[in-house]
Amino acid sequence: MTESPTAQGTFALNDTPFGWSISTGERTILQTAVAEDEALARPGAFCRDGQWRYVTQVLAQEATADGMRYRCATDDPTFEAVLDIAYMADGLALCWAPADGKVCEVIGDVYSLASAGHWYGHGYHEPQYWPLDAGAIRNDPLLCNNVQSPIWLASSGAGIVIPTEELLSVSLNVAQDGVFRIGMKHVASFAYRILVGRDIRETFDLLLGIVGKPQRVPDLEEFAKPIYSTWTQYPRYLTQDKVLDFARQICAAGLPVGIMQIDEKYQPSFGEISFDPSTFPDPQGMMRELREMGFVSTLWTSPFINTDSPAFAELRELGALVRNAQTGEPGIFTWWAGDAGLLDVTHPAGEAWYAGHLHAMEALGFVGFKFDGGDGKYTPPFAESAFHQPQRPQGYSNRYLEFMAKHFPRYSESRVAWMVQGEGLLTREGGKDTHWGLDNGLRALVTQGMTQSLLGYPYLICDMIPGRVQTRFPDAPLPTDELFLRWTEVSALTPIMQFSYGPWNYSAATCGVARAYAWLHQDLGPYLYAMAQHCPQSGAPIVRPLFLDFPGEEATYMLDDEFLLGDDLLVAPVLSEGAVARDIYLPTGSWRDAWTGTLYEGPCTLADHPAPCPGIPLFVRQDGAWSERLEEVLAQHLPNIPRGNTPSGVTTASYSAPLFRIV
């Protein structure tokens, strides 16, 4: 065994079996593993021409300017590998390469999950486990889908970051095997970083040193004003009358006037960025009326240019669609609304066309845009594609968001992100299904929100209340009043609240509760804005798992149903049907129950704490900078919410708006 001290810990390389461990003091925080049940079975794994080779021993080593270089043998006598280790202030930089410098189909490593404790990160996944080792993940390839980043942080203080736009292969705890496999595909080298912190909070801070802290802060209105998306109330077949009807019903229900988001489909065809005159005869008049009611408005857009759209022919002529590398013609793919080409935002003509059309919509009165798409799964196959500026497989997601940040940062949002943390964009969770579970339901709304925060995206938009209703599964039952209100409770206690299925679809009582929570959210706006202003300096997310503030408290690492909203408010939502009580962990400090005024001293667990519907448990940290103001806001709004008046399993809604489409 060879041991090398680093700035943060000790790197120990073992020859038989080949592998390594990283420790801080007497504590191992990360260790490689051997697992024979998968092709990527051990550290130092190389696949070329369909044959796997595994490093078996170190043949020679030499010091380099910033670390060590190891020349290694594999179980193939004709194949040698080189491992470069650079000792960094935040941990280690590793780089594997075949000695002959030629491309491999996969180069990868294998780690023991248990050696590092509990794991978090990765991004969107169904189910959205928390921690990740509570379930299993297999993404081969990992192609950006919603918000995902090649970042994994562990409770031990270890972290793995792969700052790349290459295609990755990732599996974690498949078949409960307890191992974490990472690999890079179709490359001649595989480089990544291992972060070494004293605890997960320090490791999170080290991560931000690599990916960057957000460089902007959204406006106060973006936090305070609810978003009202037309998508679920009036899916796909949208008209001017429906938009205005939506706005009038918001006002009639007494909800706070906010951001009117005109979702698809308002245009004559997908790809055009203009209103269909047959369904929107007077867009200027519509925008004027929305302004008179007090709304600001945003507009759905995507880079998908359907083949039957006049925009397809126009952009084809400009050369501004991603091309098929073999034919030179636009590459075609299928998305949820048909066959399309992909706008090439790396092409000057494509960028100018897109920005020009969206600026024209700004001139009409829109303040920002809902940028949809950009996922790797909704693009032409990368191996067949040619971009104006050559890209790597994950590059389009980054370029698309960089376009958004460059031209339209205010009020705009994206549900896709790879490694653009520094842009400080609003990032929306992927579309949620209207049920309770971790499998893309209400519980996943919470775990995905905490996950996005840990990836370095603090300006979170939860998906619309109460999920997609019947737009994905047209035969699904209408959401119960209980589910609708539990979803509303959670969303009101997040940075940005978004309605779509109107609260007025329910009884007056249920609508009244939703109204009260919406006004509470609006009055939390200054607090949320203050928390956001810390992000460019500290990077501390607004929605945060408890262990970021209390890393020494072991109980915090398994909590998938509690979070801190900023510095001084602990939120403990109810995420199970029929539950009217729940256990709540309060960390170190003094915490006041916002409903009853009772003061508790943590750390402690409140067993079977009352949590009627409605009545989300909320606790204000005492002696915080915002504690007194938070208690004033909560005392103003919570009495307007009749606790425990909503029965389980019942819906008072009858309004259906199903959409038959391919997902």
Side-chain angles (χ1 to χ4, degrees):
M1 177 182 290
T2 302
E3 292 189 351
S4 303
T6 72
Q8 299 281 6
T10 299
F11 174 76
L13 187 66
N14 191 58
D15 217 23
T16 307
F18 178 80
W20 57 85
S21 63
I22 299 169
S23 59
T24 56
E26 300 298 317
R27 186 170 61 97
T28 297
I29 65 167
L30 184 65
Q31 185 170 311
T32 55
V34 173
E36 301 291 355
D37 56 326
E38 297 272 333
L40 209 173
R42 52 184 70 191
F46 296 79
C47 182
R48 182 185 289 167
D49 300 326
Q51 179 183 347
W52 283 90
R53 288 94 165 173
Y54 306 100
V55 168
T56 56
Q57 61 177 328
V58 174
L59 298 175
Q61 62 185 54
E62 61 178 306
T64 61
D66 52 9
M68 294 291 295
R69 168 167 288 185
Y70 301 95
R71 184 167 62 87
C72 303
T74 72
D75 52 8
D76 178 351
T78 67
F79 190 100
E80 293 185 356
V82 175
L83 173 62
D84 283 305
I85 303 288
Y87 305 132
M88 316 289 287
D90 56 10
L92 304 169
L94 288 77
C95 182
W96 277 114
D100 61 13
K102 296 179 181 179
V103 170
C104 294
E105 282 109 62
V106 184
I107 306 174
D109 280 326
V110 180
Y111 287 97
S112 160
L113 290 171
S115 69
H118 297 301
W119 290 76
Y120 312 86
H122 187 84
Y124 177 83
H125 189 267
E126 294 186 35
Q128 192 75 51
Y129 293 112
W130 184 277
L132 294 174
D133 47 281
I137 289 174
R138 186 193 294 276
N139 286 131
D140 187 14
L142 173 57
L143 194 59
C144 185
N145 177 18
N146 294 296
V147 177
Q148 291 178 318
S149 295
I151 294 167
W152 299 271
L153 305 181
S155 59
S156 67
I160 293 177
V161 185
I162 312 178
T164 187
E165 292 181 353
E166 297 291 348
L167 203 58
L168 301 174
S169 172
V170 174
S171 71
L172 186 150
N173 205 29
V174 172
Q176 291 75 53
D177 61 6
V179 299
F180 179 29
R181 298 174 176 84
I182 51 172
M184 191 174 289
K185 301 171 76 73
H186 312 298
V187 291
S189 63
F190 174 30
Y192 63 99
R193 302 286 297 275
I194 296 178
L195 303 178
V196 180
R198 287 169 295 186
D199 54 43
I200 197 168
R201 177 53 196 252
E202 184 177 68
T203 309
F204 176 75
D205 292 338
L206 296 175
L207 166 68
L208 296 179
I210 296 175
V211 302
K213 299 170 186 173
Q215 295 304 297
R216 62 177 294 272
V217 177
D219 295 342
L220 169 61
E221 281 191 337
E222 296 179 64
F223 294 105
K225 290 183 178 293
I227 296 172
Y228 298 95
S229 168
T230 61
W231 172 243
T232 301
Q233 190 74 12
Y234 298 118
R236 185 60 59 79
Y237 301 105
L238 197 58
T239 68
Q240 180 172 320
D241 287 343
K242 288 178 179 178
V243 171
L244 292 174
D245 175 69
F246 194 42
R248 293 179 190 123
Q249 292 195 73
I250 291 165
C251 296
L255 293 158
V257 173
I259 300 168
M260 174 60 65
Q261 187 172 88
I262 299 178
D263 215 300
E264 61 171 84
K265 171 177 183 283
Y266 56 86
Q267 59 272 72
S269 63
F270 285 108
E272 296 175 272
I273 306 176
S274 61
F275 284 100
D276 186 338
S278 69
T279 52
F280 288 83
D282 183 14
Q284 290 181 325
M286 176 188 70
M287 296 298 290
R288 182 175 59 252
E289 190 167 345
L290 289 171
R291 286 194 298 273
E292 289 171 354
M293 284 188 274
F295 289 95
V296 297
S297 299
T298 60
L299 187 69
W300 180 90
T301 182
S302 84
F304 309 146
I305 314 297
N306 274 23
T307 54
D308 60 358
S309 168
F312 185 90
E314 180 184 356
L315 289 163
R316 179 179 182 177
E317 185 68 23
L318 290 170
L321 295 171
V322 175
R323 293 175 288 111
N324 182 295
Q326 303 301 317
T327 67
E329 292 295 311
I332 305 300
F333 66 99
T334 299
W335 65 298
W336 62 80
D339 293 334
L342 185 66
L343 180 71
D344 189 347
V345 292
T346 77
H347 195 297
E351 179 182 8
W353 183 92
Y354 201 20
H357 282 75
L358 294 177
H359 282 308
M361 288 300 188
E362 283 186 322
L364 192 61
F366 288 97
V367 297
F369 300 92
K370 176 182 178 178
F371 285 87
D372 208 348
D375 326 59
K377 68 177 182 177
Y378 294 130
T379 62
F382 177 78
E384 303 170 7
S385 296
F387 297 78
H388 179 75
Q389 295 177 0
Q391 299 296 309
R392 299 309 302 158
Q394 308 284 20
Y396 189 85
S397 298
N398 285 346
R399 303 296 87 73
Y400 184 50
L401 267 70
E402 287 164 2
F403 168 91
M404 171 183 162
K406 175 181 177 182
H407 294 283
F408 307 100
R410 295 187 67 244
Y411 283 94
S412 293
E413 66 177 73
S414 173
R415 65 158 183 81
V416 173
W418 182 248
M419 294 287 271
V420 287
Q421 288 88 338
E423 300 290 0
L425 301 172
L426 303 182
T427 49
R428 176 173 59 89
E429 293 189 24
K432 289 286 172 285
D433 299 322
T434 305
H435 60 244
W436 294 89
L438 276 176
D439 52 338
N440 208 40
L442 176 59
R443 199 174 200 94
L445 190 84
V446 173
T447 54
Q448 188 181 346
M450 292 193 290
T451 295
Q452 288 185 196
S453 294
L454 278 185
L455 294 177
Y457 296 102
Y459 306 140
L460 170 71
I461 304 178
C462 288
D463 192 43
M464 56 194 67
I465 303 165
R468 293 181 279 199
V469 190
Q470 296 168 323
T471 59
R472 185 180 184 190
F473 301 111
D475 296 327
L478 289 172
T480 64
D481 294 49
E482 179 190 18
L483 179 59
F484 182 83
L485 289 182
R486 291 306 196 190
W487 211 297
T488 301
E489 288 182 325
V490 175
S491 298
L493 279 303
T494 64
I496 299 171
M497 188 179 194
Q498 179 178 197
F499 287 100
S500 190
Y501 189 70
W504 55 87
N505 294 328
Y506 290 90
S507 69
T510 295
C511 183
V513 173
R515 178 172 57 245
Y517 276 118
W519 283 105
L520 168 60
H521 177 84
Q522 177 161 292
D523 282 356
L524 286 172
Y527 172 69
L528 297 169
Y529 180 61
M531 297 301 104
Q533 288 178 306
H534 298 325
C535 293
Q537 289 77 44
S538 71
I542 304 170
V543 167
R544 65 186 78 150
L546 269 62
F547 58 64
L548 277 191
D549 281 30
F550 303 94
E553 300 188 24
E554 186 65 28
T556 64
Y557 288 96
M558 293 298 290
L559 292 175
D560 70 347
D561 59 355
E562 290 185 38
F563 58 88
L564 292 170
L565 183 66
D567 294 336
D568 297 328
L569 186 58
L570 187 148
V571 183
V574 176
L575 307 175
S576 300
E577 185 174 13
V580 294
R582 55 155 297 170
D583 293 350
I584 297 171
Y585 179 80
L586 297 178
T588 298
S590 297
W591 300 89
R592 188 178 302 280
D593 185 326
W595 292 95
T596 67
T598 304
L599 194 64
Y600 297 94
E601 292 297 323
C604 67
T605 297
L606 308 180
D608 292 322
H609 189 77
C613 182
I616 183 171
L618 300 170
F619 298 84
V620 179
R621 189 202 306 251
Q622 300 301 287
D623 300 322
W626 277 83
S627 301
E628 185 175 338
R629 178 61 183 139
L630 280 173
E631 289 183 349
E632 291 174 357
V633 170
L634 292 166
Q636 177 185 351
H637 289 280
L638 295 187
N640 299 326
I641 300 169
R643 296 183 78 192
N645 282 12
T646 303
S648 182
V650 176
T651 184
T652 60
S654 59
Y655 178 77
S656 296
L659 172 69
F660 294 87
R661 66 182 175 104
I662 298 171
V663 177

